[in-house]
Amino acid sequence: MTAYELMLILDPEVDEARQEEVVHRVRDIILTGGGSWDAIDPWGRRKLAYPINKREEGDYWVIRFTSDAPSRAEAERVLRITDEVLRHQAVHQAHPSRKTEAAAGS
């Protein structure tokens, strides 16, 4: 299992209930695949660096989870075909204990 951080930008015109539905769908995919849902941090509405689909703002969500590669790939596939998603990016996160060990060994 690998730790990931997912940045999700949703269309601000979509109501909050639908946004949470999108996030819960990703959560269900991760948990069904045997992963863990570690943290979710809704950042709220923020101005985009550049317009996306004629939108100047987006609702940001940061999600931390642990999963295998097929579950992450399935979650990203679902996000790609979901109309409410403006952008998403999942990146691999190093485990904090490994960072500490690496720093101590230097």
Side-chain angles (χ1 to χ4, degrees):
M1 293 286 181
T2 306
Y4 294 98
E5 182 175 80
L6 171 69
M7 172 64 77
L8 183 61
I9 305 173
L10 299 175
D11 186 340
E13 299 299 318
V14 175
D15 63 33
E16 188 175 327
R18 176 63 182 141
Q19 289 186 16
E20 289 179 5
E21 186 178 312
V22 170
V23 172
H24 286 297
R25 185 164 183 201
V26 172
R27 178 179 162 266
D28 291 343
I29 292 168
I30 298 302
L31 295 178
T32 301
S36 67
W37 192 254
D38 302 327
I40 184 167
D41 187 13
W43 285 9
R45 188 170 292 196
R46 298 192 177 215
K47 184 164 176 46
L48 300 172
Y50 53 89
I52 302 173
N53 297 338
K54 300 181 182 180
R55 302 282 189 244
E56 298 286 332
E57 295 181 327
D59 284 326
Y60 284 68
W61 296 74
V62 177
I63 302 165
R64 289 178 192 83
F65 63 93
T66 305
S67 77
D68 57 5
S71 296
R72 180 196 45 86
E74 175 62 14
E76 287 186 317
R77 184 191 72 78
V78 167
L79 290 172
R80 258 192 314 274
I81 62 174
T82 303
D83 292 335
E84 294 81 8
V85 177
L86 297 178
R87 289 284 188 274
H88 71 279
Q89 178 71 47
V91 294
H92 174 257
Q93 293 293 298
H95 292 283
S97 60
R98 290 184 187 162
K99 284 183 182 178
T100 304
E101 291 170 10
S106 299

